[in-house]
Amino acid sequence: MKPTAPNWREIVASKLVSPEEAVALVKDGDWVWTGGWTSVPPQLCAALAARAGQVKDVTIVNFLSPFNWDRPEVLAHWKVITGYCSPFDRKAAREGRIEYVPVSQFREGKMPPGLDHIDVALIPISPPDEDGWCSFGSGVFFGPTVSSIATTLVGEIHENFIRTGGGNRIHIDRFARVCEYTLPPAQAPIPPRTEETELAANVICTLVANEIVYDGATLQFGIGDVSAALPVFLEEKHDLGVHTELLPGGIPDLVEKGVITGKHKPHHVGKVVASALGQVPPEDLARINGNPTYELYDFTHTDDIRLLLQIENFIAVNNALAVDLTGNVSSETQGPLVYSGTGGQAVFAIGASTAAGGSVIVLPSSTLVGDTRHTRIVAGHAPGTVVTVHRGFVDYVVTEQGIAKLRGKSLRERMAELISVAHPDFRGELKAEANRLYGITI
């Protein structure tokens, strides 16, 4: 990994234009990829949105976007598709202004069905090194795959982007035009954890670290309040590996202490593998930058189930909105209303459960909405609720009340396990509902 070339502006001089000139390449009828999460180019998106009345029949394609496309002037002229709802487009997807495509199939080198038609791709990149190579920064996501299928690439250059190993690079020659990002560093919209959630997460992560994670295991950390807090609780373990989608904070500490070595992984031995960095503090970012231990790859690589099934010591730790008494997990809808998306949760759970019996779902046992407490271990999911992970691929459910061990258990045994980790205020009600809905007495 070579550093940024001091004269990088000279290298890109023939392509360097304003954001408005860069997106002028978008023409009537184009499908435009605008990225996901930390791989969204804010200035290019804003410049493109300003052209909504000038270009006809454009389709915007994104995935967990922190840029707000829910604008009347945009939706009056264009169609917007997302494969994973963010806080900005959740309401629009629920009300039909933005199209949501459920995505759970990831195969290396292929965009998921429904997101696989791209004419122009807007991609944030680092400045080039002296050989012309740029990085995708801290978020590779679908960058390499999108770049291989899009007819035209438009880049947004961020001077502060880090460089890593893996598939985290693209040559400047692939870009028709680039602009330079000149605003303050973009921040992903991550709401802070409540005090109650933080307390629950501490107990849950302690249970997972002490009772489920074992020396030599390879871990996946799901996005969310609880699972992303796990690394700090793993300091007593040995020779862990990491193969994940989003890399949480705290990993560099574990690498430097020898807790994470990756020596038992079947592929990418000795490397920390992810597609993007999650909520990582600046000091972690500095230690990852240029460090050959860290490899970032395309989402279609990290989440390819054919690869995951080869990890014989795999533990996948993911969050949920609710779990029913038989173990079915809902993580993407509230009743019939979309909340987020499947993302990689389903494939990681299937891969870990099949390869190692290591599919772990973590969540607080209840949540407080206003002054009313609601159970998150439910008798049955509300009508229209999407099951993100089938109960057959859920081995453990962990709340601050304890660990429910579901693998190989009958329905009666599963219900007893799950009721035991529900909030005490709801256990009597759940026992009654188990009898009413399923005819099972607990």
Side-chain angles (χ1 to χ4, degrees):
M1 290 171 281
K2 294 183 178 180
T4 294
N7 64 332
W8 69 263
R9 289 180 180 83
E10 295 176 19
I11 295 174
V12 304
S14 63
K15 305 171 186 283
L16 187 61
V17 296
S18 69
E20 292 73 21
E21 291 172 298
V23 299
L25 291 174
V26 176
K27 59 186 185 300
D28 292 351
D30 275 348
W31 284 55
V32 183
W33 173 258
T34 59
W37 201 235
T38 55
S39 68
V40 170
Q43 284 187 245
L44 287 177
C45 287
L48 180 60
R51 296 195 67 206
Q54 306 165 26
V55 190
K56 300 177 181 178
D57 301 323
V58 167
T59 299
I60 302 296
V61 184
N62 63 55
F63 194 95
L64 186 56
S65 177
F67 184 84
N68 184 16
W69 290 103
D70 185 17
R71 308 176 183 206
E73 67 274 19
V74 169
L75 299 180
H77 301 280
W78 297 349
K79 179 180 181 180
V80 178
I81 296 174
T82 183
Y84 196 109
C85 288
S86 76
F88 289 117
D89 52 30
R90 183 179 299 143
K91 187 172 186 291
R94 289 178 169 187
E95 296 175 357
R97 297 190 302 279
I98 285 178
E99 300 286 338
Y100 167 62
V101 176
V103 170
S104 58
Q105 296 173 325
F106 305 102
R107 187 181 179 94
E108 185 161 11
K110 296 182 181 294
M111 286 297 288
L115 308 183
D116 52 357
H117 179 185
I118 307 294
D119 298 301
V120 180
L122 310 184
I123 301 175
I125 53 174
S126 74
D129 64 19
E130 61 183 20
D131 296 323
W133 289 102
C134 308
S135 85
F136 294 102
S138 62
V140 173
F141 281 99
F142 294 101
T145 300
V146 165
S147 300
S148 71
I149 67 172
T151 304
T152 303
L153 302 186
V154 178
E156 181 179 276
I157 295 179
H158 292 243
E159 276 205 283
N160 67 327
F161 268 17
I162 66 169
R163 296 177 186 271
T164 72
N168 190 8
R169 72 176 198 163
I170 185 170
H171 203 275
I172 193 65
D173 287 349
R174 290 284 290 112
F175 292 86
R177 293 179 184 175
V178 297
C179 71
E180 183 176 355
Y181 184 75
T182 57
L183 299 176
Q187 297 293 323
I190 303 175
R193 290 189 297 179
T194 65
E195 182 178 356
E196 183 177 48
T197 298
E198 187 164 356
L199 290 172
N202 290 342
V203 176
I204 292 167
C205 290
T206 299
L207 289 170
V208 172
N210 291 338
E211 304 295 331
I212 297 175
V213 175
Y214 50 87
D215 291 348
T218 294
L219 299 176
Q220 176 256 335
F221 306 89
I223 184 174
D225 286 343
V226 180
S227 59
L230 181 58
V232 72
F233 295 87
L234 298 172
E235 292 192 353
E236 300 303 316
K237 299 300 175 182
H238 302 89
D239 293 326
L240 298 179
V242 175
H243 183 108
T244 192
E245 185 181 286
L246 291 184
L247 193 73
I251 298 298
D253 283 342
L254 299 180
V255 170
E256 292 173 10
K257 292 175 181 178
V259 174
I260 293 175
T261 64
K263 65 189 294 184
H264 297 298
K265 297 170 68 178
H267 32 64
H268 306 301
V269 178
K271 306 296 183 180
V272 172
V273 169
S275 183
L277 306 187
Q279 198 171 11
V280 173
E283 57 271 22
D284 281 7
L285 203 64
R287 286 186 283 176
I288 292 171
N289 186 24
N291 188 329
T293 297
Y294 299 87
E295 296 186 342
L296 299 186
Y297 289 90
D298 193 291
F299 206 101
T300 66
H301 175 79
T302 58
D303 292 40
D304 191 327
I305 195 166
R306 299 171 301 174
L307 195 68
L308 302 180
L309 290 170
Q310 298 171 27
I311 307 175
E312 294 290 347
N313 54 347
F314 198 25
I315 297 176
V317 184
N318 288 289
N319 297 270
L321 293 173
V323 180
D324 75 17
L325 282 181
T326 72
N328 286 314
V329 174
S330 177
S331 302
E332 58 194 282
T333 69
Q334 294 175 321
L337 301 177
V338 63
Y339 182 82
S340 54
T342 309
Q345 182 171 129
V347 292
F348 279 113
I350 292 169
S353 183
T354 302
S359 173
V360 184
I361 298 297
V362 293
L363 74 167
S365 64
S366 66
T367 187
L368 201 60
V369 180
D371 295 327
T372 305
R373 186 166 296 281
H374 298 268
T375 182
R376 291 174 66 171
I377 304 296
V378 298
H381 291 298
T385 299
V386 169
V387 172
T388 306
V389 182
H390 183 276
R391 62 195 185 190
F393 299 104
V394 180
D395 301 313
Y396 304 93
V397 174
V398 187
T399 76
E400 78 283 3
Q401 304 295 327
I403 300 175
K405 300 176 181 179
L406 306 186
R407 189 173 181 83
K409 299 290 179 68
S410 69
L411 287 181
R412 184 189 307 278
E413 292 168 331
R414 283 168 168 261
M415 291 180 190
E417 289 277 329
L418 285 162
I419 290 172
S420 75
V421 301
H423 190 282
D425 290 355
F426 299 97
R427 291 176 188 171
E429 176 185 330
L430 290 170
K431 289 179 181 179
E433 285 295 283
N435 184 263
R436 185 182 70 85
L437 289 174
Y438 306 98
I440 292 177
T441 301
I442 303 298

